[in-house]
Amino acid sequence: MKKITFRDSIRWNKESFKLFKKTPNQSLMLSLAYLFIFMLLPSMPMIQIFSIASILIWPIFLVFAVNFYKTHDKNKEENFLAVFEKIKPRLATLLMLGLICLIYAAMVTMVLNSEMQGFIKLSENNNELVTVINNFVPMIGKLILLLLPLLMATWFSPMLIVYNNYSLFKSIKSSIAGCLMYIFPLGLSWLIFSTIAILFMLSCGLLIGALASLFPTIGPSLMGAIIFFALLVITSVMFAFQYISYRDIFKSAKSY
């Protein structure tokens, strides 16, 4: 690992956006694939069993996403098969990491299940926005706190498994250690990233409002399209940020 300063945390965000701008079309396609596999398919009726499979394969997809930005950062090109050949020797370990994620997610769901069900009923039967928000904020706060250990355990571990040839538990331990050792630069980067994302969404909202007032008939369609586009951009930049933070914190990766 190397010393990371607060100035680096600002640089991480700048480089993340630069990497996205370098390959915007391919980056958006990557985000589209992510949203389709991990959000749209699991929510479809009759194939909700795919939600289990999606968690299992999530670390594999993450390596593909990070490798995409790694190759473009180095001005290289790698096709799907070449990346898969790199991942294949570590495939079983990545699936075990996915299984750990699945078990942890199931435990969090069990802990918060009653609160989630209560919130759903409240939001369906209560038209007062303040009441809904007052119940939503504590629940989402608990969810974030419960998922934080999983986020730290998996932020770097898939890349450490593939690029550094770490074992499953060494990768998890090193990922948590990396997050804790650089918690302030990472936290500042996340704060900057989240603020930019919120401002971006608010700007989209203002644009939607202006367009809806000018074109009332197409306002709802524009709203959906612009929000979806904003979500694609935010997801793409997040993957780029994950790669850059891994690259700078774990300089010992053999592939560099």
Side-chain angles (χ1 to χ4, degrees), residues 25-241:
N25 295 335
Q26 292 168 290
S27 295
L28 291 175
M29 289 301 296
L30 178 68
S31 296
L32 184 62
Y34 176 81
L35 295 177
F36 179 76
I37 295 171
F38 297 99
M39 293 187 181
L40 182 60
L41 280 181
S43 65
M44 287 183 177
M46 306 302 291
I47 59 170
Q48 290 184 349
I49 188 67
F50 192 80
S51 60
I52 296 175
S54 66
I55 297 175
L56 289 174
I57 67 172
W58 175 77
I60 300 171
F61 185 94
L62 182 57
V63 175
F64 273 101
V66 169
N67 194 82
F68 167 80
Y69 287 107
K70 172 183 172 294
T71 54
H72 284 90
D73 184 38
K74 302 297 180 182
N75 296 313
K76 297 178 181 178
E77 292 286 344
E78 277 187 328
N79 59 37
F80 178 87
L81 290 177
V83 180
F84 182 74
E85 286 299 318
K86 188 185 297 182
I87 292 173
K88 190 163 68 171
R90 311 294 291 161
L91 198 59
T93 309
L94 290 172
L95 287 173
M96 284 300 298
L97 179 62
L99 180 61
I100 291 173
C101 293
L102 178 62
I103 294 170
Y104 191 93
M107 291 170 59
V108 170
T109 302
M110 289 174 62
V111 170
L112 294 179
N113 183 59
S114 60
E115 287 190 50
M116 288 179 176
Q117 294 299 325
F119 174 75
I120 291 171
K121 290 180 181 178
L122 179 68
S123 60
E124 288 175 348
N125 301 324
N126 198 314
N127 293 323
E128 295 184 14
L129 183 61
V130 175
T131 304
V132 175
I133 291 174
N134 286 340
N135 283 270
F136 175 75
V137 171
M139 186 191 71
I140 202 68
K142 290 179 184 177
L143 181 63
I144 291 171
L145 286 175
L146 287 171
L147 289 178
L148 189 59
L150 181 64
L151 177 64
M152 290 194 296
T154 57
W155 187 252
F156 300 118
S157 53
M159 289 74 75
L160 291 172
I161 288 169
V162 174
Y163 297 134
N164 297 61
N165 203 31
Y166 280 14
S167 67
L168 175 63
F169 292 106
K170 184 180 179 181
S171 70
I172 292 173
K173 182 182 70 174
S174 298
S175 181
I176 294 172
C179 290
L180 290 175
M181 287 179 68
Y182 299 104
I183 190 166
F184 293 111
L186 282 170
L188 178 60
S189 292
W190 264 108
L191 180 61
I192 295 170
F193 179 79
S194 301
T195 302
I196 293 172
I198 291 169
L199 291 174
F200 183 52
M201 294 295 287
L202 287 174
S203 300
C204 289
L206 292 173
L207 177 61
I208 291 165
L211 291 173
S213 62
L214 294 172
F215 309 101
T217 55
I218 62 172
S221 299
L222 285 171
M223 181 183 299
I226 292 175
I227 290 176
F228 186 66
F229 175 76
L231 186 59
L232 288 177
V233 173
I234 290 168
T235 303
S236 298
V237 176
M238 182 192 69
F239 284 137
F241 169 61

